[in-house]
Amino acid sequence: MVSRYPLICGIVCWLALSCFGLWTKAAAQVPEDILREVPPHFEVPSGSYTLVATWAAAGTLYKHGTGKAVSDPQATESKAWEASVGEPSAAMLYGPYITTLPQGDYVAFARVERTSSTDEEIVGTLDACIDYGQNILNSVDLATADLPREHYVEIPLPFHYPGGALEVRVNWAGYANLRVDKVTLFRVEGANLSQFIHRAPPARESGEPNHLTPLFAPAGTPLFPRSHTPASTLEVLDLRKQGPSWQLLLLSLQGLVNRQRPRIYYLLNNQDPFWLRWMRQNGWIKGWKEVTDPHQLLQEYRSVYHGLVVTDPTRPASVNVATMIASIDDLLVATPSLAKELGLPVKEDLRGRWTTDVQAYQWAFDNLWPHLNHEVISCTYPQQMPLRDYLVENRIFIFWISGPIDGARPGADPTAEMHLMEQLLAKMPADAPVISYPYAGQDVGVGEGPGVTLFAEFGRYLVGSTDCSNLSVHSGIRLPNFHQRHPASPKLDPRKVYVSWILSDGDNLPVLSVFNFPVLWKSPVRGTMPIGWTISPSSWLLMPDIANYYYQTASPDDQFVGAVSGIGYTYPDSFGARYKAPYRQEVFDRFLYQTAEGYRHMDIVDGWIMGITHDSLLDRYAEDIPTLQALFPDYGRRVGSYDEATYPIVRNLPVFHAVTNWNGQLSREEQIDSLVEQIKAITPERRPAFLHLFALNWFTDLSMLPEIMRRLGPDYVVVRPDALGALYREYLKKEKLLVSCPNLIARIIGLPLRFQCTLENVESHPVSAQVRVTDGMTDVEIEGNLAALAPDVKVPVSVAGVPQADTVQLEATVEGGPSHRTAVQLRSIDPSELVGGLEVLRTKSGTLPTLSYVQHFDVSALAHQTGAMVTDPRAIGGRAWQVLPGKDQAGHALFGPYVPMPAGDYLALFRIERVGEQEGSVGLVDSCVGGGVPVLAERGVLLSELPLGRYVYVPLVFHHPGGALETRFYWDGKVGVRMDGVDLWRISGGTTTTMRRP
């Protein structure tokens, strides 16, 4: 929360409170020298305090993303850490990753000082987090009014620590010099911290409007506005030493000047000089002239702008609104202090106009939208600068939806902002890009997933470009179509497992221009093994010179794969969902047409996509993009078996789902071990096999990849993605028929079992097939229409009977083709392991049902609010999820998997083991429609039902109405238990009784 006190009043009040000793709410155990320096705006929770640690900001335990150590006689150890205007805005302090603390409530005090003036309201944030920033426990703004200049203050940060590697961080915004002396951590008992946790509820969609008729841009409208050809000599100014206020002003100047013809180029990051030299090396410019004083550019181009539009430091949205006004009225965007310093005429002053961000964006749409570009819009965090030259140049509408952290600031309202954008997106054309990014750090902004979903529902896609500098220059370069190298594929060896590595996140343009692709590209590993590099087809339009660099310098082992999920980042499952049903396919087909054009320009034949679960949508890719040779879905593994991962769709187009996940909390060696284990676990016994290995760019060191291949052994052969597709198509020609059955299913001994296989004819003409069980099952019934299998159609075959062994052998044959033998492994569950025995499964008529196996959901595939993963050789898969009293909070120990299921009766078995001698209630298992409402069935888990040290199955019978299915185990926090997953069956053969809590 930001103080409303004027600065001088804040100092006076702060001194007065110190003198009169009014800190009565604070505990006596907190030293008086700390309490005396707490600003009056902050309350310190009352309770019993125990000192835990003091960490010097310039000491060895803290790491630093910006700033430097400085001598300071006022600091505790005469040394502090300081970030100065002109240095990169980043985390001044992060760490120290303490893992030895007990769970509980804590208060950290950060001793900070502002050493320069600013009129910005927020100069940084203080937060506590675990999971390397993925779980923020609390955050507080470092507000100018709370930081008197040249005077240290102690900023309190209360938080609840649930366990894990603890960080207390200071993140610096770059607007004023900030100095940190130390962080002091106390444990507090008997305190109520709820009022001190500064978080807003996440933004929620209203779902309105819907059933819309889409608007489309006129035929021939360019996908993106592009600059004119750059001037032969550019003027280059280094902005890396300038603060955000000057950057904002000068970027608006760059946009106005470069609208006429690109003449100004800024150095905003350490890659910008490289791209400048690359442009000259290729003759796109002849050279440049260095400018050292920004005032020189203001004077030289004085005729281009008419004056200033001044932002409101108390209203973050005013930065985005000011940028739009500047683009329309040819103004420069200035903060109040910079406007005063420059003395230029102020044409618009936004101070005091709006009390909320929603009001500001609604005003902008009502008054500015008619004068702005109607195709491209931008979701840009107000504190982000680099893209603004392009936004001003092309008069682009800018908005922002806040998240739990920035949404807790005065005037922000995440859900109200979401509802406004739902209304505005309904009035904007479909099949058009959203640029920038809806995420600006953990819990800052609506977030990637919700943002991309919202855009997709209105037929829009994201082109990530937040930190793209100089797009007003790069987009002006015109290049002919690109061409990749296409080396011949290796000869198919039927004994091998073929794999392709796909490196993620090339859809995000700054990954290509600023972040880690430029670093990874220089790795000595590149060129020694095949790698697929994802790349945005939009880069050919927005930064063709940078995309050209990768194409020009690629080795024969490098292949470029179209990044998610086409011309831009979207979730096909949600694309066009707000439109009337008759229009949804048209909206999606237009997106695929744009994608096909982008692929043609960049010679792309394979696509990486995500957010897609329906084969009918995969078929649309195959049908609408005739040059497409293979699809590589998913951002990490979401499939359970090889047959779910690798299969053909229409025109025998191969689909290779990702089969690997990455964990940023693992060490390099642990990550390699995990990936090797994952790859081997999903590799089928039959050969040849074909796997898509997902490589998360943020965590990938390219030298890991050959080491993984070495550990996998000679049976695994790494090839380019296009070669993987070619080899798989060659395999299909020989097979004629594809048979897919579950590799492993669970059965309860004594009950009939049903499972499903699929047959797919990969010939070009209809064929007839037969399926029979050759061993392991009696009383067999096989159902399926096998008389005339049409090409490219998956035909389900139901196999039912009473298992007699742990393996069921099947054989499928087709006229004129080889026979296909398949073994289905069974995991047998003895009725004695079932809490309540078989009686809990009897139908209302007294008979036992036939169970149709659905899936085993491993704990690694489910979500968790509390607990930790542990190694357990007795667990299915060798790992279990454990919750222990005194260490973990009560809460949902597992929930998920949100898998779509048809309506029907189901049985879920939760495999649970008691690991502690404690007494008390254990918890509750339930099932619900994804999201928690309605609860379909529930039952308590009793201490008497869980023998110590032995796994048992806790049953839950329920009727599911259809849709996303969620199963949950709520742990009461009293008795230690382990869980290794949930097995799910569909029930047939009678109506069962839905369970309710006893």
Side-chain angles (χ1 to χ4, degrees):
M1 188 174 294
V2 177
S3 171
R4 295 299 181 187
Y5 291 104
L7 180 59
I8 187 68
C9 177
I11 296 175
V12 171
C13 295
W14 175 75
L15 290 172
L17 285 169
S18 299
C19 294
F20 286 101
L22 296 181
W23 294 108
T24 56
K25 290 188 177 181
Q29 295 93 335
V30 179
E32 182 63 25
D33 60 341
I34 291 180
L35 292 180
R36 188 169 54 246
E37 292 186 334
V38 174
H41 176 62
F42 291 91
E43 290 187 39
V44 179
S46 59
S48 177
Y49 282 69
T50 303
L51 177 65
V52 174
T54 299
W55 303 313
T60 58
L61 287 178
Y62 264 121
K63 301 180 184 297
H64 311 279
T66 191
K68 60 183 180 298
V70 295
S71 298
D72 184 351
Q74 301 301 316
T76 304
E77 297 181 0
S78 299
K79 186 187 292 185
W81 195 267
E82 183 173 61
S84 302
V85 173
E87 294 179 295
S89 56
M92 289 179 64
L93 310 180
Y94 63 97
Y97 305 108
I98 301 299
T99 59
T100 55
L101 300 176
Q103 288 183 327
D105 294 335
Y106 291 83
V107 179
F109 292 86
R111 191 168 189 256
V112 300
E113 177 184 54
R114 179 169 58 88
T115 58
S116 70
S117 60
T118 181
D119 55 15
E120 288 299 315
E121 182 109 333
I122 298 169
V123 298
T125 58
L126 169 68
D127 70 26
C129 64
I130 56 174
D131 300 335
Y132 300 89
Q134 296 303 302
N135 186 352
I136 294 179
L137 308 176
N138 197 14
S139 174
V140 64
D141 290 332
L142 301 177
T144 301
D146 294 322
L147 305 178
R149 186 174 175 181
E150 308 290 350
H151 203 116
Y152 273 111
V153 295
E154 293 272 8
I155 305 295
L157 179 71
F159 60 91
H160 179 83
Y161 170 65
L166 175 66
E167 294 182 76
V168 179
R169 309 182 299 183
V170 176
N171 301 291
W172 180 60
Y175 289 103
N177 297 356
L178 193 64
R179 187 174 291 185
V180 185
D181 170 18
K182 63 179 178 178
V183 173
T184 308
L185 182 67
F186 292 87
R187 183 167 188 184
V188 59
E189 295 179 290
N192 180 4
L193 300 189
S194 59
Q195 63 178 312
F196 299 95
I197 306 300
H198 305 286
R199 294 179 69 84
R204 300 295 184 193
E205 292 187 18
S206 70
E208 298 291 339
N210 56 29
H211 302 298
L212 300 168
T213 299
L215 303 173
F216 296 114
T221 302
L223 198 58
F224 295 96
R226 302 181 69 184
S227 300
H228 298 294
T229 303
S232 60
T233 301
L234 298 177
E235 294 187 86
V236 177
L237 174 63
D238 193 340
L239 293 188
R240 290 173 291 185
K241 297 295 184 182
Q242 298 289 345
S245 298
W246 268 102
Q247 289 182 0
L248 178 61
L249 180 106
L250 293 169
L251 284 163
S252 52
L253 175 68
Q254 183 187 26
L256 296 178
V257 171
N258 289 0
R259 182 186 291 166
Q260 298 174 1
R261 188 180 187 188
R263 299 179 183 277
I264 297 177
Y265 187 95
Y266 293 142
L267 307 182
L268 283 157
N269 57 67
N270 292 334
Q271 280 295 127
D272 282 331
F274 178 84
W275 301 125
L276 186 65
R277 294 191 298 270
W278 181 251
M279 287 191 289
R280 182 178 64 181
Q281 178 181 330
N282 285 274
W284 300 317
I285 62 170
K286 291 182 179 179
W288 60 85
K289 178 180 68 174
E290 292 187 3
V291 178
T292 57
D293 184 357
H295 293 86
Q296 178 182 336
L297 290 180
L298 293 176
Q299 183 61 37
E300 180 181 354
Y301 293 107
R302 183 61 185 83
S303 62
V304 174
Y305 61 93
H306 303 314
L308 305 177
V309 52
V310 178
T311 62
D312 181 350
T314 70
R315 183 58 36 239
S318 71
V319 175
N320 285 343
V321 177
T323 303
M324 291 184 268
I325 293 173
S327 73
I328 294 169
D329 294 338
D330 296 343
L331 303 175
L332 305 184
V333 183
T335 60
S337 61
L338 188 55
K340 183 177 180 180
E341 174 186 335
L342 294 173
L344 292 167
V346 174
K347 300 296 184 179
E348 293 277 359
D349 191 334
L350 304 185
R351 285 176 288 184
R353 283 209 188 174
W354 310 288
T355 58
T356 69
D357 289 340
V358 164
Q359 292 172 357
Y361 291 125
Q362 182 69 66
W363 180 92
F365 185 80
D366 293 342
N367 294 275
L368 305 180
W369 177 250
H371 310 288
L372 294 169
N373 185 302
H374 282 199
E375 280 66 56
V376 181
I377 59 175
S378 179
C379 182
T380 300
Y381 186 47
Q383 293 185 14
Q384 290 170 330
M385 297 301 150
L387 187 63
R388 291 183 187 269
D389 62 313
Y390 185 80
L391 302 180
V392 170
E393 176 194 24
N394 297 292
R395 301 183 179 94
I396 291 173
F397 182 84
I398 314 166
F399 68 97
W400 183 250
I401 302 171
S402 56
I405 289 179
D406 55 327
R409 293 168 182 159
D413 185 335
T415 294
E417 293 153 17
M418 172 72 83
H419 293 177
L420 173 65
M421 284 314 303
E422 289 178 279
Q423 298 297 321
L424 301 189
L425 285 166
K427 300 175 183 178
M428 298 176 179
D431 292 303
V434 179
I435 58 175
S436 198
Y437 222 74
Y439 169 93
Q442 187 64 33
D443 294 333
V444 178
V446 65
E448 178 181 324
V452 173
T453 299
L454 175 69
F455 307 153
E457 289 172 353
F458 289 94
R460 283 185 166 257
Y461 47 85
L462 178 67
V463 177
S465 44
T466 292
D467 293 294
C468 284
S469 49
N470 298 295
L471 278 193
S472 62
V473 178
H474 295 304
S475 67
I477 293 172
R478 303 299 198 273
L479 297 178
N481 290 347
F482 293 171
H483 296 285
Q484 298 200 55
R485 300 185 185 192
H486 293 285
S489 299
K491 183 179 178 181
L492 178 65
D493 185 336
R495 301 166 298 176
K496 300 296 185 182
V497 179
Y498 292 97
V499 302
S500 284
W501 287 102
I502 306 284
L503 199 64
S504 75
D505 282 68
D507 59 295
N508 201 347
L509 298 185
V511 169
L512 304 176
S513 63
V514 183
F515 299 140
N516 67 345
F517 266 33
V519 175
L520 293 171
W521 196 253
K522 295 174 183 177
S523 167
V525 172
R526 190 180 67 82
T528 65
M529 66 175 291
I531 298 175
W533 300 78
T534 57
I535 193 167
S536 170
S538 292
S539 64
W540 187 82
L541 296 168
L542 289 173
M543 47 171 58
D545 51 330
I546 294 175
N548 169 270
Y549 161 75
Y550 292 100
Y551 274 69
Q552 275 200 37
T553 56
S555 76
D557 279 328
D558 299 314
Q559 183 195 341
F560 299 105
V561 176
V564 293
S565 287
I567 193 67
Y569 174 17
T570 192
Y571 303 144
D573 282 352
S574 301
F575 205 79
R578 296 295 185 102
Y579 298 116
K580 296 175 182 176
Y583 295 106
R584 290 176 192 164
Q585 181 165 318
E586 179 184 3
V587 171
F588 189 54
D589 284 345
R590 283 172 176 257
F591 167 77
L592 292 177
Y593 172 78
Q594 294 174 358
T595 298
E597 283 295 287
Y599 282 8
R600 181 176 64 83
H601 289 309
M602 299 189 73
D603 192 20
I604 290 172
V605 296
D606 298 315
W608 172 49
I609 57 179
M610 63 183 291
I612 187 167
T613 58
H614 302 292
D615 281 355
S616 60
L617 293 175
L618 292 170
D619 289 344
R620 299 306 305 156
Y621 277 89
E623 292 164 350
D624 287 3
I625 309 176
T627 59
L628 192 65
Q629 295 183 8
L631 285 170
F632 294 81
D634 302 335
Y635 197 89
R637 177 176 171 176
R638 67 170 187 83
V639 297
S641 67
Y642 175 77
D643 287 330
E644 293 177 292
T646 302
Y647 55 86
I649 54 174
V650 296
R651 65 180 179 85
N652 277 348
L653 186 84
V655 173
F656 304 105
H657 288 271
V659 299
T660 50
N661 280 320
W662 293 65
N663 184 339
Q665 298 185 34
L666 298 181
S667 68
R668 182 180 185 277
E669 185 64 24
E670 289 171 335
Q671 188 73 80
I672 291 174
D673 287 341
S674 172
L675 289 164
V676 171
E677 178 185 337
Q678 291 177 55
I679 295 165
K680 287 184 175 180
I682 203 167
T683 301
E685 292 186 5
R686 63 181 182 273
R687 300 288 187 273
F690 308 86
L691 299 174
H692 160 197
L693 306 184
F694 170 79
L696 183 57
N697 68 308
W698 305 111
F699 302 151
T700 299
D701 163 7
L702 287 193
S703 65
M704 297 168 67
L705 306 187
E707 175 61 19
I708 291 169
M709 298 309 303
R710 184 188 69 78
R711 296 190 192 184
L712 287 172
D715 286 349
Y716 291 80
V717 179
V718 61
V719 296
R720 286 177 27 143
D722 55 357
L724 191 73
L727 291 167
Y728 186 70
R729 287 191 296 273
E730 184 179 348
Y731 158 75
L732 291 179
K733 290 180 181 178
K734 299 178 180 179
E735 286 297 290
K736 300 183 182 295
L737 182 71
L738 290 184
V739 180
S740 175
C741 292
N743 291 331
L744 176 66
I745 61 179
R747 60 109 174 199
I748 300 175
I749 296 173
L751 293 186
L753 176 67
R754 185 186 305 274
F755 60 90
Q756 184 172 290
C757 299
T758 61
L759 270 59
E760 182 172 2
N761 170 21
V762 292
E763 293 274 61
S764 59
H765 55 83
V767 298
S768 296
Q770 290 184 332
V771 175
R772 66 189 186 98
V773 172
T774 60
D775 194 21
M777 180 177 274
T778 61
D779 301 327
V780 175
E781 294 180 2
I782 294 178
E783 298 176 358
N785 186 6
L786 307 179
L789 300 180
D792 297 332
V793 176
K794 291 183 174 68
V795 176
V797 177
S798 172
V799 179
V802 180
Q804 301 297 313
D806 289 336
T807 302
V808 177
Q809 303 283 350
L810 295 95
E811 182 182 58
T813 56
V814 63
E815 296 176 1
S819 64
H820 298 262
R821 293 179 176 85
T822 301
V824 177
Q825 302 297 320
L826 303 183
R827 173 165 53 87
S828 298
I829 299 173
D830 193 279
S832 65
E833 300 176 78
L834 190 67
V835 172
L838 292 179
E839 292 305 310
V840 299
L841 302 180
R842 287 198 182 275
T843 66
K844 293 179 179 179
S845 63
T847 61
L848 290 173
T850 297
L851 298 181
S852 299
Y853 191 64
V854 177
Q855 194 171 343
H856 173 75
F857 299 108
D858 188 79
V859 287
S860 62
L862 298 170
H864 314 275
Q865 283 184 334
T866 186
M869 188 77 77
V870 295
T871 300
D872 185 349
R874 294 179 299 107
I876 298 170
R879 294 188 301 174
W881 194 263
Q882 180 172 274
V883 282
L884 297 175
K887 179 181 179 183
D888 300 308
Q889 282 186 291
H892 282 100
L894 60 80
F895 56 98
Y898 310 108
V899 174
M901 293 289 171
D905 292 330
Y906 288 87
L907 166 67
L909 292 187
F910 298 77
R911 193 166 188 259
I912 306 177
E913 173 190 51
R914 179 160 61 94
V915 294
E917 295 280 4
Q918 304 87 1
E919 296 293 330
S921 60
V922 179
L924 172 80
V925 294
D926 69 15
S927 175
C928 55
V929 176
V933 179
V935 172
L936 307 173
E938 59 184 14
R939 79 179 302 277
V941 181
L942 306 178
L943 185 70
S944 59
E945 295 175 330
L946 302 182
L948 183 65
R950 180 167 67 87
Y951 279 103
V952 294
Y953 291 89
V954 177
L956 184 70
V957 176
F958 58 93
H959 179 80
H960 182 57
L965 175 67
E966 183 178 7
T967 55
R968 306 184 296 190
F969 171 55
Y970 182 87
W971 179 60
D972 286 347
K974 300 174 183 176
V975 178
V977 296
R978 286 182 181 179
M979 303 139 284
D980 69 359
V982 179
D983 285 295
L984 187 68
W985 290 264
R986 191 169 182 183
I987 297 172
S988 57
T991 304
T992 56
T993 302
T994 296
M995 293 182 173
R996 294 294 173 191
R997 186 169 190 167

